[in-house]
């Protein structure tokens, strides 16, 4: 049996669980830190682009964004050229937690890559990016309501 994706899944779930526990004191729950990071990295991003970056559907993104806005981490701003578009920006509270999230990410990365040489770590990154790229086509297909052919 090929266990590659099982390993990736276990890593992702473990890191997500750790982050959810550690960020609870920051009042961030269930993966919300991902949204805060992307909005801090790209102030003014629109909801659709954010959902695409995080690889979630629009309704999932909408719920998370609403909660983050209600909790004071982000704010929506009207686009000056198109009033239908709302741009997402971090608030002071969102900007304040951003370095803490990055610090946790750096620590988790250091733990995950312990024992790997710089070359091995770079190779792993290249391979993971290729795997992600391979999956993105199916993600887009299924997201649009189509079935994959096995």
């Amino acid at each position: 049996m090929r266990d590659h994706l099982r390993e990736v899944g276990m890593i992702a779930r473990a890191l997500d669980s750790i982050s959810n526990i550690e960020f609870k004191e920051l009042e961030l729950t269930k993966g919300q830190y991902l949204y805060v990071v992307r909005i801090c990295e790209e102030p003014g991003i629109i909801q659709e682009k954010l959902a695409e970056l995080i690889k979630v559907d629009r309704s999932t993104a909408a719920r998370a964004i609403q909660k983050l806005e209600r909790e004071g981490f982000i704010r929506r701003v009207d686009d000056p050229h198109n009033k239908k578009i709302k741009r997402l920006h971090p608030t002071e509270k969102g900007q304040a937690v951003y370095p803490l999230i990055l610090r946790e990410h750096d620590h988790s990365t250091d733990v995950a890559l312990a024992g790997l040489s710089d070359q091995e770590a770079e190779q792993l990154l290249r391979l993971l990016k290729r795997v992600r790229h391979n999956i993105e086509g199916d993600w887009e297909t299924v997201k649009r309501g189509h079935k994959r052919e096995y």
Side-chain angles (χ1 to χ4, degrees):
M1 184 171 175
R2 299 184 311 172
D3 291 333
H4 302 81
L5 296 181
R6 186 176 291 183
E7 290 296 324
V8 169
M10 286 189 291
I11 293 164
R13 284 187 299 279
L15 289 172
D16 194 49
S17 179
I18 290 167
S19 296
N20 285 331
I21 292 166
E22 291 192 340
F23 297 148
K24 192 173 188 172
E25 65 190 40
L26 301 177
E27 298 173 3
L28 289 171
T29 60
K30 201 71 178 138
Q32 291 174 336
Y33 60 92
L34 296 170
Y35 295 85
V36 172
V37 167
R38 295 301 182 264
I39 293 168
C40 285
E41 289 173 347
E42 295 189 42
I45 192 170
I46 61 172
Q47 182 174 315
E48 186 174 320
K49 177 71 174 165
L50 181 60
E52 185 180 307
L53 279 174
I54 296 176
K55 301 290 185 244
V56 296
D57 60 58
R58 290 191 298 207
S59 60
T60 300
R63 283 190 302 274
I65 289 166
Q66 269 184 332
K67 184 158 186 182
L68 287 169
E69 185 177 30
R70 212 173 31 248
E71 299 292 329
F73 289 99
I74 65 167
R75 60 188 168 85
R76 297 178 211 232
V77 177
D78 289 334
D79 183 277
H81 306 292
N82 184 343
K83 295 297 179 191
K84 291 181 182 179
I85 296 174
K86 303 287 186 199
R87 300 216 170 257
L88 305 172
H89 292 271
T91 60
E92 284 185 29
K93 183 177 181 179
Q95 289 173 331
V97 299
Y98 177 63
L100 303 173
I101 296 169
L102 291 183
R103 190 175 74 206
E104 187 278 338
H105 172 77
D106 288 345
H107 177 77
S108 291
T109 300
D110 290 344
V111 170
L113 299 179
L116 298 181
S117 69
D118 289 346
Q119 282 182 311
E120 289 171 324
E122 282 303 313
Q123 181 181 20
L124 177 61
L125 180 59
R126 279 193 311 278
L127 293 172
L128 288 171
K129 284 182 177 182
R130 281 177 48 195
V131 170
R132 178 180 47 83
H133 177 76
N134 291 342
I135 294 294
E136 284 176 336
D138 277 4
W139 180 73
E140 288 289 337
T141 298
V142 172
K143 184 175 80 164
R144 289 191 173 92
H146 302 288
K147 297 274 185 195
R148 300 184 302 166
E149 292 193 27
Y150 305 113

